[in-house]
Structure formats: C-alpha cells, structure tokens
C-alpha cells in the first residue's frame, strides 16, 4: 500500500484526481493492516512531510496542513513514542523545549493546547526548565485567558471543558515539580483578572486553575493582595468581579473559598467601597447561579456571605428578593436528590435576611408564604450567622454609593430619601400628606416669598404630589423642622417629632394672626414674606404645648386646630365631700397607655373594673412617648420575650381605658379645697370636642426602673378600620371650677362613672340615672386614615414606616347620633364588617399605600392589620383616624380658593409650579448624564458604579444616609439602627 501511495502522489495526474485517490487509500488504511505495512506507511509519510518536492507531497496530498494544525502534534507525539528508547531523543529535548515555548506564545486554541499538554505530560523532559520554565507557566496562564468557547452543543461543551482540564492538570504537575513557578503564575493570573483594558475580557477557563492552588497559601496570598499599595481599587474591584464570574465554571473546586477569603481580606483592611460596589454589581448574578445544580452549592456559599456581611443596608438583599419565590418553587418541584437539603439551607439564609431587615411586609409576605413549611432558625442561630459574617469594622462610616435614578413606582406616589436615620420624619410627613383635607388646606395657602415652616411643608407636599422623581430629598424641611434637642443623624421618636411639628405650625399661624390684627393694612388674601419670616423666628421654647385659640380670620382657629384640635374635659370629684372640679384643655393627640394586665382591661361601662387596674397607668394627654415608670411594668415584663401573635386588645380598648375613671388614692390623693386636705377622689376625662383628624399614640416604650432601660411593649393591638369616639355634648353638663354645694356636687357626681370602691354608691345606682348619663353622649364615627409602624426593640433604634390612604370626611359611612351611650367605643366585629361592606373601599388592593422611605408600594388593609402577627417586632405606634359626617353635626369645610370651595386638589400656585418644573428638568438632565456615564463606564471598564433595577434609593426603608432628588447627595453613615 505504501508503494501505491508513493506512486500516486508522484504521478502527473490532476491534483483533484490524486486527492480523491489518496483519500480512498487512506480510508482503506484505517482498516486492520499488518505491522510491517503500518511502519512502511509511517516512513513514507514522514519522508513526504519533511522532504516532499512540492506542497502536495508535504501535505500528504490530503487537505491543508499548517504549522498550527493539531495533527502535527499528533504526529510529533507518535514520533516521540517511537523514539523513546532511542538515545537521540535526549538530544531533541532542548529543541522541543524551545519549540513548545514558541507555540504557547502564539496563543493556540484549546484543542492544540490540550494535545501539547498530553505530549508534555507523557514526556516531561520536553517541559522548559528554570527561567524558561517560569516564562512558560506565565505564558500558559496567559493563554488560558484567551480560551474561548463558541460551541453551543452539549457534546462540544464537554469536549471544551475536557481540553481546559487537561491543560490545567499540566500546570499542576509543573507547579509540584518546580515550586518556584507557582507564585509567578499566580501573579500572572491576578494581572490578567485585574486588567481594566476594555478591549480584553479574560476567559472564565482560568477558574480551572484555582483548584490546583494549595489552600494553605490563602492567608499569605490574600494578605499580600489586600495590603499591596500598588493595587488600585479599580483593579481590585475588577479582579473580585471576575473571580465571582468563575462560579459559573462547572468543574472548579474551591472558587467559593478563594472568593470569600478575598472578601474577608478586603473587609479586614476596611476597603468597604470595593465590597459595596462588587456586592451590588454581582449579587444578582451569584443568585442566578443557584438555578444550576452543578454550581449552586458554591454559589450559595458566596451568596450567603455577601448578603450576611452587607449589614448596613437592605439594598443588596432587596435586589434578589423578586427571584426568591420562583427559586423556592423550582427547588420544590425539580425532584433532584440534593434539592431538599439545598432548600433548607437557602430558607435559613432568607430567614436571617428578613430578620436583619424587618419592616418590609410588602416584600416579604409572599416569601414567608412560600417557605412556611420549612424550619425557621432560632434567634440565637440567626444572630450567630450575622455576627460571624459582619464586616470587621461595621461601626465605621461606610462609603456611600451613587443613588440610582429610577422612575416613579407604579403607585404614582413619591418616596422620601432617608438622610441618615430620618425615617421618623419621613413616616410622619407621609401620613400628614395622606391626610387629604389637611393637605388640600396647606396647598391652598398663599405664602409666596415666605420662609416659614408652613411654606416649607407646602413646598414639600407639592413635590410629593408632582415631582417626577421616585424619591424626594426633604433636606430643607428637615433642617427647618428638627427639634433643637434632636441630635442630627440619630434615631428619634416620631410621635415627639409630630407633636413638635404641629405646635410649630400652630404657633406660626398664631403669630401671623397677631401681626395681622395690629397691622394697619392687613392683606387677607396674600401673606407677606416679612410677616411670616418674623413668625418663623418666634422662639420655640416660648411656645406653649397646647395654646388656646386666638382671634384669627375665619372661625378664629389655626389650621392645626381646625384639623387636629380637640378638647378634653377633666373632672375630679372628691369622694369625701362629693365636690366637683372640672376644666377643659385642648389636645392634638391622645397618648394611650397599656393596661398593666390584659385581663383587667375593660370598657368604660364595665362595672366590674377595679380601681387598682386603672390608677397606675392612666394615659396623659400629649404625654410624651413613654409611660410612667410603673405603668406597664407588670404587663410588659412577661411580653418582651414572647410577643402576642393574635391581637388580645384593640385600639378602641385603649381609648376606653384612657377615658375610664381613675381613683386617686394613696400617694396620688387629691387635695380637696373644700376639705382642705388630701382625699380619695375620682378622676374622669371626657372628649367634649372631637377633632377632624384623631391622632392616637400608643405608649409602647416604658422605663424599667430595675434594669434602667427603656423597653418596648410588643403586644399585638388590633387596628379596626372604623371606630367611634364617645363625645360629651356641650350644654348638658354643668361646668364649674369648684362646687361649694354638696347637693350640686352629688348631682353632678351621679353623671360620672363610679368605681367599685366607692362607699356603697355604685350598688345603689339606678337605671334611670344611667339613662340620664347615657343621653349626654354622642358617638362620633372615625375611619382609619394612616398608621406609623415601628420596627425594632427600642425607641433609640429600629425603623419607622407607614401605611396610608386617601380619606375625606365623607368617605366610609354616615353615622347618626345615638341616644344610647356606647357599650364600648369600638364597633363589634360584625358591625365593623357590615359597615365596610356598606360603603368603604377597604377591599380594593390599591386603596392602601406602604411608605418605606424611598420605596412606595401598593398594599391592603389586611397586610396592615396582620403586620405584627407576621413580624413581631413591627408594631403600630401612631394612628390617624378621619372623622366622618354625622347627621345634624356641622362638618369642616374644604379649602377656599378664589372665592370657591374646593372638593378636590387645589390648583398649583405659580411659585410652586416653577420650583417643580425646574427640578423636573434637572431630574431629566441627571438621567441623561447618568446614562452617558454608565455608557462610558461600560466602554472603559470602570468599576465604581451601581446597577439598575430596584426602586430603592439608598437604603430603601432603612435608617442610613442617601443622596437623591431635591438636594440629596453623598453622605456617611453616622449611626446604624438595624
């Protein structure tokens, strides 16, 4: 056959004929032939390749063959096998070492490298030595970076992975034989992956080398990298990102170990900017690896560390939240043997993150539903995971990243940027904005050119209603409304802030009214800037807590009084001489204390309530944000560790308790002027003027005198959508500063609800007397407008967010005066349900909004009422109810603009319109500039940027700093409250 082949290639036949004949001969040679024939063909083809007279002969007449063809390496490999026993092979080794280095420097394809690796593995004497060996390893690593895989079929992909693995095994062998080549090789790997050259993206095939690096070198190498001053942050960021990309390589081991080691190393040297950038950039990619069983275990390890260590903001976790439920469903249904174990690990991670960043029920409800059947780690285990993964300098200031600019949420509402623990202000602003009639009155005021707090509130409301930004930065309003004793950057009490804000607004308008009265030329329609600036300069310390109404335009009351002002009557009757002292005082909110014992808390008409159950913890009007020292000690002490899941009492119960009679005795005895001594007395409070908006503050924070700490009462309080407030009608009860007549005092005393301890008088009370007292009371209906929720364990820490909806005084239902007093101020469950069905739109899923700093989402009343049951640390704190129309009672009219009364939103004034238009143009310019910057970063491989995709502007719903629209910018974290 060799003679036939030689004759054919040397013949004068046309090339096409010769190629066809040679192909047939070669195919015949593939069948079984004798050893002699094989050797003869090998000698012939060798002579033709090396000494052929023309190109056809040198190519053996069968296809093209260049110097990079893998077939040459096959021929070389076969030749070396034949020469292995020949002494001449040792003379060929130096030549082959040089030739191998030359081939590698030409960046051959994976197939060629794999064949070369096979040769060098079988004939290690052909591997370059000493300096040439170091250079060879570096060039081979560099060649790895050019290994691209255009294949799409599974078989081609498997072949590609096999080729890469074969080359990596060669490097492993060289590193073991020549340890001096290892460190230069690793330096070359880092130089490749840290390159910021936009024209070059190294192959993830480099991941196959990681498994061959000794693990005992991790500490030394990571310390060397993270402390090297020559390594720039951009290069380190790029290197870390590409190492995370290696998680996609199917057969790589220990990639997760090296990635986590580098993350910890960067945290140890406080390079938090790199960690923040890389986490936000790569967290979604790492999460997506969980869908692939072959790489999911390593990806979960890295994902867990990245999420658990990113403790200054929920932003990273919220980027992957939308994918959690689909992944859980997939893991439940894929039927793989290890999916169940993996799902348990994944659910444990999710529980840890939701514990760390509580306060987002709109995001977490569906997740909790999907993993409700899986075990939940206990609190100790969660804290252990979080402490173990925390960045080493968590208390230091973190570098703040760029605020992502996004459009408004689907709700059409605007969020508020957290300016550093300002969630207490954001939640209050949002519930005031959702107080529809108050907002409309504020927006209808003419305050052109002024710099008062009311003007700032009006501007803020205008931006919330009309800006194109997803979240507005209320920096100017914060600076103007923050109480002087509030420390900037620290968490504060939202109820205290609300009370201060309303008092400031009230005092400004009072001062303005006083100037208008004394001014020779008042301007009824437009307020002068000078006058309002003088009002704004009024010292806050000189403002009374509850100022009496002054003569002003209209009905003589300020806007705060008309919207939030009510009046409370306090009557004290001496149980010795039965003299009565009664006085009225205004209020803007009612502070509701908790009963010392739930079992002793009843309605005001419960004749079995003992005086000891009400005395110690009777709530005070506008009485701060915490109860008295002993007010909740008994009830809160046992509930701090295991909060009640199902509501055992409701908001109307607390109102009943607030209005219940209180016996003043022992150290709280009343000094009776008539008796001229301390006497036991009964104190009764009654609402005599109901506010348009009823603000209720639940006194959840109590001082523990034993431990000298402020504790939070975690009792789950039911929040009805409708409730009624008992109102004593004017003109029926006799009011006097003191009563000198025993008979008069006795008659008035009969109209007060007596306690069981009264000397025999309770038992003798007749039904007719009860009916006389009942006829004085009016049931005023209210509908829930908004709720501020506190998430956390103390008033000095945690997070505030709020629920709200638009409610006017005609929404819900129309109630009529009742000739009977209420059994309780609350409506029964059946009554409430029926009234909801009558006219309220509570069943619509878009009625309610959840305001969580910059995040605004749709929610529903069910989510609000179940929030504490699902998230025990999240408890209702401040509630606003809107009064509904009552037949025969005057209602508060809407704002007047240009002589006509408005039932809708007032038109935007020119000054406000100009400010909003200017900011919206600025916002569009910012979007364009950011789009160009992102494009430039993509082409230049700049690594300090944030990805798009979430509506959370730094950190959403958290108490950290952020920049944003309307004056926001870069900040540092001064205090962490999660």
């Amino acid at each position: 056959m060799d003679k036939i082949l030689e004759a054919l290639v040397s013949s004068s036949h046309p090339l096409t004929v010769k190629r066809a004949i040679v192909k047939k001969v070669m195919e015949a040679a593939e069948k079984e032939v004798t050893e002699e024939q094989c050797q003869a063909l090998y000698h012939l083809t060798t002579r033709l390749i090396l000494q052929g007279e023309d190109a056809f002969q040198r190519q053996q007449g069968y296809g093209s063959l260049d110097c990079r063809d893998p077939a040459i390496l096959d021929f070389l490999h076969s030749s070396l096998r034949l020469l292995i026993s020949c002494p001449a092979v040792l003379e060929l080794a130096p030549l082959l070492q040089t030739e191998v280095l030359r081939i590698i420097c030409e960046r051959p394809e994976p197939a060629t490298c794999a064949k070369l690796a096979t040769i060098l593995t079988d004939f290690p004497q052909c591997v370059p030595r000493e300096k040439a060996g170091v250079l060879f390893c570096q060039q081979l690593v560099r060649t790895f970076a050019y290994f691209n895989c255009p294949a799409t079929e599974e078989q081609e992909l498997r072949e590609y992975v096999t080729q890469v693995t074969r080359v990596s095994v060669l490097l492993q062998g060289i590193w073991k034989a020549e340890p001096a080549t290892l460190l230069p090789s690793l330096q070359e790997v880092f130089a490749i992956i840290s390159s910021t050259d936009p024209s070059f993206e190294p192959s993830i095939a480099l991941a196959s080398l990681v498994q061959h690096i000794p693990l005992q070198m991790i500490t030394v190498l990571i310390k060397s990298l993270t402390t090297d001053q020559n390594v720039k942050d951009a290069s380190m960021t790029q290197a870390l990102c590409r190492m995370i990309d290696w998680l996609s390589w199917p057969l790589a081991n220990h990639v997760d170990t090296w990635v986590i080691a580098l993350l910890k190393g960067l945290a140890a040297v406080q390079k938090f900017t790199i960690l923040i950038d890389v986490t936000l950039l790569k967290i979604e990619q790492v999460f997506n690896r969980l869908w692939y069983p072959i790489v999911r275990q390593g990806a979960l390890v890295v994902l867990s560390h990245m999420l658990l260590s990113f403790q200054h903001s929920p932003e990273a976790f919220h980027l992957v939240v939308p994918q959690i439920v689909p992944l859980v469903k997939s893991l439940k249904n894929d039927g793989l043997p290890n999916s169940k174990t993996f799902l348990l690990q994944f659910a444990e991670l999710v529980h840890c993150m939701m514990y760390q960043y509580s306060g987002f029920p709109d995001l977490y409800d569906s997740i909790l539903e999907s993993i409700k059947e899986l075990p939940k780690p206990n609190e100790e285990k969660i804290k252990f995971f979080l402490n173990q993964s925390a960045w080493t300098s968590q208390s230091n200031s973190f570098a703040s990243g760029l605020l992502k600019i996004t459009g408004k949420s689907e709700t059409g509402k605007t969020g508020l940027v957290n300016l550093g623990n300002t969630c207490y202000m954001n939640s209050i602003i949002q519930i005031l904005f959702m107080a529809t009639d108050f907002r409309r009155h504020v927006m209808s005021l003419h305050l052109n050119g002024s710099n008062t707090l009311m003007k700032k509130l009006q501007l803020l409301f205008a931006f919330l209603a009309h800006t194109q930004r997803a979240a507005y930065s209320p920096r100017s309003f914060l600076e103007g409304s923050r109480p002087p004793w509030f420390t900037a950057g620290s968490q504060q009490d939202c109820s205290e802030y609300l009370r201060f804000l309303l008092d400031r607004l009230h005092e400004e308008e009072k001062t303005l009214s006083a100037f208008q009265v004394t001014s020779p030329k008042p301007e009824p329609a437009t307020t002068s800037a000078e006058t309002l600036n003088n009002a704004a300069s009024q010292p806050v310390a000189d403002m009374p807590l509850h100022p009496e109404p002054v003569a002003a335009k209209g009905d003589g009351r300020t806007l705060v009084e008309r919207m939030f002002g009510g009046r409370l009557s306090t009557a004290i009757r001496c149980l010795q001489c039965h003299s009565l002292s009664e006085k009225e005082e205004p209020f803007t909110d009612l502070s509701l204390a908790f009963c010392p014992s739930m079992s002793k808390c009843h309605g005001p008409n419960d004749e079995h309530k003992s005086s000891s159950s009400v005395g110690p913890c009777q709530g005070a009007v506008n009485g701060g944000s915490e109860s008295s020292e002993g007010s909740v000690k008994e009830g809160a002490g046992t509930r701090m560790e295991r909060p009640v899941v199902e509501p055992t009492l409701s908001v109307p119960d607390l109102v009943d308790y607030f209005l219940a009679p209180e016996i003043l005795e022992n150290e709280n005895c009343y000094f009776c002027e008539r008796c001229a001594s301390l006497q036991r007395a009964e104190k009764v409070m009654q609402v005599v003027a109901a506010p348009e908006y009823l603000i209720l503050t639940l006194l959840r924070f109590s001082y523990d005198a034993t431990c000298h700490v402020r504790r939070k009462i975690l009792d789950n309080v039911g929040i009805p959508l409708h409730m009624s407030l008992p109102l004593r009608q004017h003109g029926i009860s006799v009011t006097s500063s003191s009563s000198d007549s025993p008979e008069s005092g006795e008659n008035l005393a009969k109209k007060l609800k007596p306690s069981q301890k009264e000397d025999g008088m309770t038992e003798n009370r007749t039904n007719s007397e009860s009916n006389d007292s009942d006829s004085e009371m009016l049931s005023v209906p209210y509908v829930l407008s908004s709720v501020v929720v506190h998430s956390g364990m103390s008033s000095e820490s945690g997070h505030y967010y709020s629920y709200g909806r638009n409610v006017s005084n005609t929404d819900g239902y129309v109630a009529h005066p009742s000739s009977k007093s209420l059994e309780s101020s609350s409506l029964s469950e059946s009554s409430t349900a029926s009234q909801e069905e009558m006219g309220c739109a509570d069943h619509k899923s878009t009625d309610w909004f959840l305001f969580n700093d910059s995040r605004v989402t749709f929610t529903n009343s069910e989510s609000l009422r179940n929030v504490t049951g699902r998230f025990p640390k999240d408890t209702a704190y401040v509630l606003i109810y809107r009064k509904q129309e009552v037949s025969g009672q005057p209602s508060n009219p809407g704002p007047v603009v240009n002589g006509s009364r408005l039932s809708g939103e007032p038109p935007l004034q020119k000054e406000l319109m100009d400010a909003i238009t200017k900011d919206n143009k600025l916002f569009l310019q910012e979007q364009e500039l950011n789009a160009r910057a992102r494009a430039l970063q993509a082409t230049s491989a700049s690594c300090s940027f944030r990805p798009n995709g979430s509506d959370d502007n730094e950190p959403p719903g958290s108490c950290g700093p952020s920049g944003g629209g309307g004056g926001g910018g870069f900040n540092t974290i001064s205090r962490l409250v999660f």
Side-chain angles (χ1 to χ4, degrees):
M1 184 177 290
D2 60 303
K3 299 298 183 182
I4 297 174
L5 183 61
E6 184 177 7
L8 283 172
V9 297
S10 303
S11 68
S12 59
H13 294 293
L15 290 178
T16 55
V17 175
K18 290 197 289 186
R19 284 197 180 98
I21 297 175
V22 169
K23 183 177 182 181
K24 291 292 184 181
V25 173
M26 296 299 295
E27 289 175 352
E30 292 179 358
K31 302 177 182 178
E32 186 175 353
V33 294
T34 63
E35 183 178 352
E36 293 76 11
Q37 288 178 326
C38 229
Q39 289 183 354
L41 283 172
Y42 181 77
H43 286 301
L44 172 63
T45 54
T46 302
R47 180 165 55 82
L48 289 174
I49 290 173
L50 298 177
Q51 300 177 356
E53 296 178 357
D54 54 32
F56 178 77
Q57 294 182 6
R58 289 193 296 274
Q59 295 174 2
Q60 305 177 56
Y62 185 33
S64 61
L65 187 68
D66 57 29
C67 61
R68 296 189 180 188
D69 198 305
I72 296 179
L73 294 178
D74 289 336
F75 174 78
L76 179 61
H77 196 182
S78 300
S79 300
L80 289 174
R81 285 178 177 175
L82 294 174
L83 296 174
I84 190 63
S85 58
C86 179
V89 74
L90 298 176
E91 300 176 1
L92 294 175
L95 177 62
L96 290 175
Q97 290 175 4
T98 302
E99 188 63 19
V100 163
L101 181 58
R102 182 190 65 79
I103 293 174
I104 290 300
C105 290
E106 292 177 352
R107 308 286 179 257
E109 296 295 325
T112 302
C113 278
K115 291 181 180 296
L116 185 62
T118 302
I119 294 175
L120 297 180
T121 301
D122 292 344
F123 301 97
Q125 59 269 36
C126 297
V127 176
R129 305 292 179 183
E130 299 178 351
K131 292 183 178 180
V134 173
L135 180 59
F136 173 77
C137 289
Q138 290 176 321
Q139 291 301 318
L140 187 56
V141 168
R142 179 70 61 174
T143 302
F144 261 92
Y146 287 89
F147 280 177
N148 295 317
C149 179
T152 55
E153 299 296 329
E154 181 179 351
Q155 184 58 37
E156 295 174 333
L157 292 173
R158 289 180 179 275
E159 185 178 351
Y160 170 76
V161 172
T162 302
Q163 293 167 354
V164 172
T165 302
R166 193 176 301 165
V167 181
S168 69
V169 170
L170 169 65
L171 262 177
Q172 179 191 22
I174 298 175
W175 290 343
K176 287 183 177 180
E178 298 288 340
T181 62
L182 177 57
L183 187 57
S185 299
L186 299 182
Q187 290 173 338
E188 188 68 20
V189 171
F190 184 78
I192 293 170
I193 64 176
S194 63
S195 171
T196 57
D197 183 1
S199 63
F200 172 66
E201 183 61 35
S203 169
I204 66 168
L206 285 166
S208 62
L209 300 179
V210 175
Q211 58 190 325
H212 303 309
I213 305 174
L215 292 178
Q216 52 267 39
M217 295 185 65
I218 287 183
T219 303
V220 176
L221 291 177
I222 295 301
K223 183 177 180 180
S224 175
L225 285 177
T226 54
T227 58
D228 190 347
Q229 298 298 323
N230 295 321
V231 179
K232 297 181 179 179
D233 285 357
S235 297
M236 183 64 74
T237 302
Q238 192 71 280
L240 183 53
C241 287
R242 285 169 174 160
M243 287 179 67
I244 292 174
D245 292 341
W246 291 352
L247 292 170
S248 302
W249 187 254
L251 299 180
N253 296 320
H254 309 311
V255 171
D256 54 334
T257 304
W258 282 93
V259 170
I260 292 176
L262 184 53
L263 290 171
K264 290 181 177 180
L266 291 170
V269 295
Q270 301 182 9
K271 293 189 176 181
F272 301 121
T273 303
I274 297 176
L275 294 172
I276 292 172
D277 286 343
V278 171
T279 300
L280 295 178
L281 179 62
K282 289 295 183 179
I283 195 70
E284 292 173 283
Q285 177 183 324
V286 175
F287 188 92
N288 288 335
R289 299 282 78 78
L290 302 183
W291 291 90
Y292 304 98
I294 195 170
V295 297
R296 66 168 46 142
Q297 196 59 50
L300 179 62
V301 174
V302 175
L303 179 73
S304 299
H305 180 80
M306 293 174 75
L307 288 178
L308 292 172
S309 62
F310 200 86
Q311 295 184 13
H312 71 287
S313 162
E315 187 174 2
F317 178 54
H318 288 176
L319 287 174
V320 301
V321 159
Q323 298 300 321
I324 291 178
V325 173
L327 179 62
V328 170
K329 292 180 179 178
S330 175
L331 292 172
K332 288 180 178 179
N333 300 325
D334 64 9
L336 296 177
N338 60 346
S339 291
K340 184 176 181 180
T341 302
F342 180 83
L343 182 57
L344 293 176
Q345 297 172 348
F346 179 68
E348 197 171 65
L349 169 64
V350 172
H351 277 299
C352 289
M353 299 312 300
M354 290 191 296
Y355 175 88
Q356 174 72 3
Y357 304 121
S358 62
F360 297 90
D362 58 321
L363 296 179
Y364 300 161
D365 275 342
S366 58
I367 298 176
L368 283 173
E369 184 66 23
S370 67
I371 61 175
K372 63 182 180 181
E373 301 172 355
L374 302 174
K376 178 182 179 181
N378 57 41
E379 187 172 356
E380 290 73 20
K381 190 173 184 180
I382 291 176
K383 289 181 178 180
F384 173 77
F385 286 147
L386 293 171
N387 293 335
Q388 189 180 44
S389 303
W391 286 333
T392 55
S393 298
Q394 184 73 27
S395 59
N396 286 356
S397 296
F398 287 76
S400 176
L402 291 172
L403 176 68
K404 299 188 297 297
I405 296 182
T406 59
K408 270 193 174 182
S409 71
E410 61 179 355
T411 64
K413 299 295 182 181
T414 304
L416 289 170
V417 176
N418 194 305
L419 301 173
N421 289 323
T422 58
C423 58
Y424 70 91
M425 177 188 72
N426 290 350
S427 60
I428 292 301
I429 292 174
Q430 293 287 15
I431 65 173
L432 291 178
F433 181 79
M434 296 305 290
T436 307
D437 295 308
F438 174 68
R439 178 183 71 244
R440 291 172 180 173
H441 278 85
V442 171
M443 294 299 295
S444 65
L445 296 175
H446 292 273
L447 304 171
N448 296 337
S450 69
N451 191 33
T452 61
L453 184 59
M454 181 64 80
K455 175 62 178 179
K456 293 180 178 180
L457 180 63
Q458 184 186 63
L459 183 64
L460 179 55
F461 279 1
F463 271 99
L464 287 177
H466 300 285
T467 184
Q468 293 183 4
R469 298 180 184 272
Y472 180 74
S473 175
R475 189 176 301 279
S476 176
F477 190 79
L478 170 65
E479 294 171 353
S481 66
R482 182 168 51 209
W485 59 90
F486 277 18
T487 303
S490 63
Q491 184 63 287
Q492 304 294 341
D493 189 335
C494 74
S495 68
E496 184 180 5
Y497 173 77
L498 173 60
R499 190 172 298 110
F500 174 82
L501 175 61
L502 295 180
D503 285 343
R504 277 284 309 275
L505 295 174
H506 170 77
E507 285 300 316
E508 279 189 357
E509 189 170 349
K510 273 184 59 180
T511 306
L512 171 62
S513 299
F515 274 103
Q516 288 179 336
V517 170
T518 58
S519 175
K521 293 181 180 181
E523 297 180 7
T526 304
T527 303
S528 69
E530 181 181 359
T531 300
L532 281 172
N533 287 332
N534 291 334
S537 62
Q538 177 78 8
V540 176
D542 297 336
M543 301 179 184
L545 184 61
H546 292 288
E548 294 291 336
V550 296
K553 59 183 178 182
D555 60 0
R557 295 182 298 164
T558 66
L559 176 59
V560 170
E561 287 177 314
R562 296 198 305 273
M563 292 288 102
F564 304 102
R567 296 189 71 79
L568 196 68
S569 170
T570 303
I572 301 179
R573 180 169 60 92
C574 176
L575 296 181
Q576 179 65 31
C577 67
H578 307 300
S579 62
L580 180 69
S581 173
E582 186 177 6
K583 67 175 181 178
E584 288 187 12
E585 58 181 350
F587 69 88
T588 54
D589 70 303
L590 298 179
S591 299
L592 306 180
F594 285 76
C595 306
S597 175
M598 289 294 183
S599 62
K600 296 181 181 180
C601 187
H602 306 282
N605 294 325
D606 188 345
E607 296 184 3
H608 299 289
K609 181 188 290 187
S610 66
S611 62
S612 62
S613 68
V614 295
C617 73
Q618 179 65 49
V621 181
N622 297 328
S625 63
E626 56 181 290
S627 309
S628 60
E629 180 174 330
S631 63
V632 293
K633 190 183 300 182
E634 178 185 347
T638 58
R639 290 187 173 86
M640 286 299 297
E641 298 180 358
R642 295 189 61 84
V644 179
V645 176
E646 294 298 329
T648 58
L649 78 164
S650 65
V651 171
D653 291 333
L654 298 182
V655 174
D656 292 342
Y657 185 68
F658 175 81
L659 297 175
E662 176 185 2
I663 297 299
L664 305 178
E665 57 185 353
N666 299 329
E667 67 275 9
N668 293 324
C669 280
Y670 168 67
F671 182 82
C672 177
E673 294 183 358
R674 180 170 182 175
C675 299
S677 62
L678 294 175
Q679 297 292 340
R680 290 179 67 248
E682 184 179 52
K683 174 183 175 183
V684 176
M685 291 191 294
Q686 293 177 314
V687 178
V688 295
E692 294 296 321
Y693 285 97
L694 175 63
I695 301 177
L696 303 175
T697 301
L698 309 188
L699 299 180
R700 289 192 173 274
F701 304 109
S702 63
Y703 181 72
D704 189 335
T706 304
C707 301
H708 302 289
V709 294
R710 294 178 71 187
R711 298 186 181 277
K712 181 178 179 181
I713 303 172
L714 295 175
D715 293 342
N716 191 357
V717 178
I719 305 173
L721 297 179
H722 302 90
M723 64 171 286
S724 296
L725 184 68
L727 178 69
R728 193 189 76 192
Q729 301 182 65
H730 273 287
I732 296 180
S733 175
V734 178
T735 304
S736 62
S737 59
S738 64
S739 178
D740 297 329
S741 169
E743 293 78 8
S744 173
E746 182 176 355
N747 292 333
L748 290 174
K750 291 180 181 179
K751 297 182 179 181
L752 297 176
K753 180 74 175 75
S755 72
Q756 200 172 24
K757 282 195 175 182
E758 191 173 341
D759 300 333
M761 297 184 62
T762 302
E763 293 78 22
N764 298 329
R765 186 178 187 186
T766 65
N767 291 332
S768 61
E769 290 172 338
S770 177
N771 291 334
D772 290 341
S773 177
D774 292 341
S775 64
E776 301 175 6
M777 303 305 294
L778 176 70
S779 171
V780 180
Y782 281 88
V783 61
L784 185 62
S785 171
S786 54
V787 178
V788 176
V789 176
H790 178 264
S791 176
M793 299 299 294
S794 71
S795 60
E796 290 83 12
S797 63
H799 175 56
Y800 291 105
Y801 59 93
S802 57
Y803 291 85
R805 62 172 175 170
N806 290 307
V807 176
S808 67
N809 65 336
T810 57
D811 291 342
Y813 62 95
V814 177
H816 300 272
S818 174
S819 60
K820 298 180 180 180
S821 68
L822 298 173
E823 289 291 330
S824 168
S825 65
S826 64
L827 299 174
S828 66
E829 293 182 5
S830 59
S831 175
T832 302
S834 64
Q835 288 174 348
E836 289 175 14
E837 293 173 358
M838 286 175 58
C840 239
D842 295 323
H843 301 289
K844 296 181 181 178
S845 61
T846 57
D847 271 355
W848 287 88
F849 302 96
L850 177 56
F851 299 94
N852 210 324
D853 284 340
S854 58
R855 176 188 292 274
V856 185
T857 55
F858 286 121
T859 186
N860 52 55
S861 59
E862 192 68 20
S863 174
L864 164 61
R865 289 185 287 185
N866 293 338
V867 66
T868 305
R870 298 177 69 86
F871 307 96
K873 293 193 297 182
D874 296 23
T875 54
Y877 186 35
V878 177
L879 304 90
I880 296 183
Y881 280 86
R882 180 65 170 100
K883 187 171 73 172
Q884 300 298 281
E885 279 189 0
V886 180
S887 298
Q889 295 292 321
S891 61
N892 186 61
V896 177
V897 178
N898 296 329
S900 60
R901 196 167 303 283
L902 292 178
S903 59
E905 298 297 327
L908 202 60
Q909 300 172 31
K910 184 179 184 302
E911 184 183 20
L912 300 176
M913 178 67 77
D914 291 344
I916 293 172
T917 301
K918 180 180 179 181
D919 186 70
N920 283 341
K921 288 181 179 180
L922 178 62
F923 170 69
L924 295 176
Q925 293 173 356
E926 291 172 356
Q927 282 191 314
E928 182 177 357
L929 289 174
N930 275 272
R932 292 184 179 183
R934 286 193 294 270
L936 180 62
Q937 289 168 349
T939 56
S940 63
S942 175
C943 306
S944 179
F945 65 98
R946 309 277 192 191
N948 288 326
S950 171
D951 63 348
D952 286 340
N953 297 325
E954 161 36 88
S958 70
C959 295
S962 179
F970 294 98
N971 296 274
T972 56
I973 296 176
S974 60
R975 182 177 180 188
L976 300 175
V977 298
F978 278 108

